[in-house]
Amino acid sequence: MSRFKYLLCGLLIIAAGCTKRFDRLNTPDNLLPEEDISPALIGQAFAFSQYHGLCAVYVEVGQTLHADMYAQYFTSVPASFSTDQFIPNGSWVDLFWKDFYTKAAPQLFLTEKVTKENNMPVANAIAKIWRVVIYGRMTDYFGPIIYTHFGEESNSVPFDGQQAIYDDFFKTLDEASDVLRANPTGSGFGAHDQVYGGSAAKWLKLANSLRLRLAMRIAYADPAKARTQAEKAIADGVITANEDNAAVLSTTNSVNILSRITYLIDFRASATMMSILRGYADPRLPEYFSPSVTGNQYTGLRNGLPAAERGSQLANVTSFVGVKWLSPDRKGTLTPNRVLSASEVSFLRAEGALRGWNMGGGARELYNQGIALSLAERTASTPTQIAAYQESTATPIALADKWNSPPVSNIPVKYDEAGSFERRLEQIITQKWLALYPDGWEAWAERRRTGYPRGYAIIASESPNIPRTGLVRRVTYAPVEISTNKAAYDAAVTMLGGPDENFTRLWWDKKAAGDYPTPTN
């Protein structure tokens, strides 16, 4: 599209040279021709793409009212919000789709271009890995997206099919990893890199860990490739310690993305979260959520409440996010924006081992390792307390709510080595879901892929195509693409393999119906 010729680089206008901290930058809606960008300024563009690539500005409509609801981390309170009852909202999608393609994507496109043209191999490799991170989130929301054709000066920009995008992801990670492996002490972007401060060695671990995540995503769609890519990731070295976790720096001017919306009463803890966390006596409960204002209890709401049952009156009687996600002016902390962690990697490895892949350990060992890493990262639990939790036979509890909600599942924390494949998979994914919080993008993708955690059936579905015991499988396309890029949109729907509806499954969403669990009523 011709609108991509002049990239949104307002942050670069304000400095004649590099500034040392991204949090000092303003981002006016100015345009700067790309030919005016020098290598000395490109680190700022990359920093901008890191923060905005996580849907930072439109986090409520982009994440909280979509993935966070469908992952059942949160539930919706306002009566007018329809997505929690499986009804799409195109105006919301327009906001974060356009924000991605006019802010994060152009900055990253520019970063890759300038670093390649100016012989900055480590920086270029790091930018490529970040491209896989942020475009991976987008394709796992929508399916086919604008990807390899982004930046073309055309009135119609084609989409890429999801399988082709994943193939390119693996190729891109190969290219980036080769460079980083050859430059183990190299650095790219320096302090402008908001994740690892430019460390080539740490970015290589992230690349391998990301490869493992993507490999597991396609486990049902292409099992052979999934195994090959997963074992390749392990052989090359993944993240195994919390000090190597990938997270985008949070500052007073680029706060944690969830913290941006904690002045709202629009979302509260889900009942699914409370059944599991309370049932397990999980030490992460007071870290993840706060007690209700009224009653001082940890309580949640079932998803999909009818409009007549929602409203601001629910805010004080249900749990909100934990203090660490409140905005700084409300005594919150500058919690980093998690991208990929050692605990997630351990659970990915545990699932791979369960499938018979070479993951450098057994499923039980890696499952317990994932629990230990998550508890050590999120809580002050001692090794003795962590070991007790790992051996706990506690299970999710019933909730004393108006629906007499039963336990959401019957799985204990203690790994059931004698259990069926599906029972053990449910344990692994449920603990991964707890460790991923509050990353709804990843948690919802895994819930679609595996069906776990089971979650509760929503109270009422307004969709004629998805029952209350069903799941939303994707986000429908932004209306702006239909109005301004119609031919490409039509081709994208053909590649999708079904209508542009939220019940159409993505390419990797292939688990057999007979193995797919039903949410708990």
Side-chain angles (χ1 to χ4, degrees):
M1 298 179 189
S2 58
R3 65 178 180 268
F4 294 139
K5 181 178 180 181
Y6 289 90
L7 302 175
L8 279 168
C9 300
L11 76 166
L12 301 180
I13 294 176
I14 66 170
C18 283
T19 60
K20 294 183 179 179
R21 290 296 302 272
F22 177 54
D23 58 358
R24 298 175 188 165
L25 301 178
N26 297 311
T27 55
D29 291 329
N30 300 81
L31 298 178
L32 185 66
E34 65 176 74
E35 59 266 23
D36 289 353
I37 304 299
S38 71
L41 294 175
I42 201 61
Q44 298 174 43
F46 182 59
F48 187 91
S49 76
Q50 288 183 304
Y51 186 63
H52 284 265
L54 300 182
C55 192
V57 173
Y58 292 106
V59 59
E60 183 181 24
V61 295
Q63 176 175 331
T64 310
L65 296 175
H66 287 94
D68 290 346
M69 301 294 162
Y70 305 142
Q72 293 199 356
Y73 282 155
F74 302 126
T75 188
S76 179
V77 172
S80 59
F81 288 179
S82 61
T83 49
D84 201 25
Q85 288 190 284
F86 300 165
I87 299 298
N89 187 312
S91 63
W92 291 348
V93 181
D94 257 347
L95 289 172
F96 70 89
W97 175 277
K98 289 189 287 188
D99 187 66
F100 179 86
Y101 280 111
T102 61
K103 291 184 180 177
Q107 297 292 347
L108 188 58
F109 178 85
L110 178 65
T111 300
E112 286 197 59
K113 182 175 185 293
V114 171
T115 53
K116 179 180 179 181
E117 291 175 350
N118 289 274
N119 193 28
M120 302 166 68
V122 172
N124 183 258
I126 290 171
K128 285 181 174 178
I129 295 167
W130 193 247
R131 167 160 47 91
V132 175
V133 170
I134 65 174
Y135 277 92
R137 290 157 62 94
M138 292 294 283
T139 188
D140 286 348
Y141 249 40
F142 298 99
I145 55 170
I146 296 170
Y147 176 59
T148 61
H149 297 280
F150 179 81
E152 293 181 358
E153 296 182 29
S154 171
N155 290 325
S156 180
V157 179
F159 290 53
D160 293 277
Q162 189 173 49
Q163 184 173 3
I165 292 171
Y166 264 71
D167 287 344
D168 189 75
F169 284 166
F170 291 124
K171 177 185 174 184
T172 298
L173 291 175
D174 285 340
E175 295 169 354
S177 296
D178 287 345
V179 171
L180 298 180
R181 204 177 297 110
N183 296 273
T185 61
S187 179
F189 304 116
H192 290 300
D193 170 19
Q194 304 294 288
V195 178
Y196 288 131
S199 170
K202 289 194 173 185
W203 275 97
L204 179 58
K205 288 183 181 180
L206 175 58
N208 294 325
S209 303
L210 184 59
R211 183 190 301 277
L212 178 60
R213 174 194 278 179
L214 297 173
M216 197 60 69
R217 189 81 86 241
I218 66 172
Y220 292 103
D222 192 340
K225 176 175 279 190
R227 179 172 187 166
T228 297
Q229 291 293 333
E231 292 181 345
K232 182 176 182 179
I234 298 304
D236 205 29
V238 293
I239 295 170
T240 58
N242 283 328
E243 52 263 33
D244 289 334
N245 289 350
V248 174
L249 181 69
S250 181
T251 73
T252 53
N253 289 331
S254 55
V255 298
N256 178 277
I257 57 175
L258 181 56
S259 300
R260 294 178 63 95
I261 58 171
T262 53
Y263 64 92
L264 300 169
I265 64 166
D266 295 352
F267 61 102
R268 286 297 186 270
S270 75
T272 297
M273 263 292 189
M274 290 302 149
S275 176
I276 295 173
L277 286 171
R278 288 173 54 196
Y280 288 164
D282 197 299
R284 289 166 291 196
L285 175 58
E287 299 295 322
Y288 287 2
F289 295 101
S290 299
S292 60
V293 174
T294 303
N296 195 36
Q297 299 291 320
Y298 288 104
T299 58
L301 289 171
R302 291 282 291 267
N303 287 83
L305 294 184
E309 295 184 30
R310 282 184 274 161
S312 59
Q313 74 277 2
L314 296 175
N316 286 341
V317 297
T318 49
S319 291
F320 196 40
V321 297
V323 173
K324 66 176 60 178
W325 284 284
L326 296 180
S327 57
D329 63 332
R330 296 180 62 194
K331 300 182 180 180
T333 59
L334 294 174
T335 303
N337 300 285
R338 300 171 87 243
V339 176
L340 203 154
S341 68
S343 58
E344 180 189 346
V345 170
S346 290
F347 290 122
L348 289 165
R349 294 172 66 191
E351 181 180 347
L354 179 64
R355 294 179 181 278
W357 304 350
N358 183 2
M359 295 286 101
R364 179 181 181 276
E365 170 196 355
L366 293 166
Y367 168 81
N368 281 330
Q369 182 182 91
I371 291 173
L373 285 163
S374 180
L375 294 184
E377 178 194 4
R378 300 301 190 101
T379 75
S381 298
T382 66
T384 299
Q385 291 169 328
I386 291 172
Y389 180 86
Q390 291 167 331
E391 292 299 308
S392 171
T393 57
T395 58
I397 61 169
L399 301 176
D401 56 20
K402 64 182 292 184
W403 306 281
N404 294 315
S405 299
V408 75
S409 178
N410 66 355
I411 58 165
V413 176
K414 185 176 181 179
Y415 190 71
D416 186 358
E417 289 192 273
S420 67
F421 176 92
E422 285 299 318
R423 182 171 176 81
R424 287 177 288 164
L425 180 63
E426 182 177 3
Q427 288 187 293
I428 291 168
I429 301 300
T430 299
Q431 282 293 334
K432 180 161 74 168
W433 175 79
L434 291 173
L436 285 169
Y437 177 88
D439 184 2
W441 293 75
E442 187 62 22
W444 178 40
E446 287 296 83
R447 190 165 184 237
R448 285 175 284 163
R449 180 180 72 89
T450 66
Y452 303 120
R454 292 176 184 273
Y456 285 114
I458 69 170
I459 297 301
S461 172
E462 292 295 316
S463 169
N465 300 298
I466 308 176
R468 55 182 293 268
T469 54
L471 295 179
V472 169
R473 315 306 304 200
R474 63 181 290 272
V475 175
T476 55
Y477 286 121
V480 67
E481 289 300 319
I482 302 173
S483 60
T484 65
N485 198 24
K486 184 65 163 58
Y489 163 81
D490 289 340
V493 175
T494 299
M495 287 187 285
L496 181 62
D500 180 20
E501 299 286 355
N502 60 358
F503 57 81
T504 298
R505 290 178 178 245
L506 302 186
W507 164 71
W508 48 253
D509 191 357
K510 292 288 196 301
K511 187 171 183 177
D515 293 330
Y516 210 89
T518 300
T520 302
N521 265 310

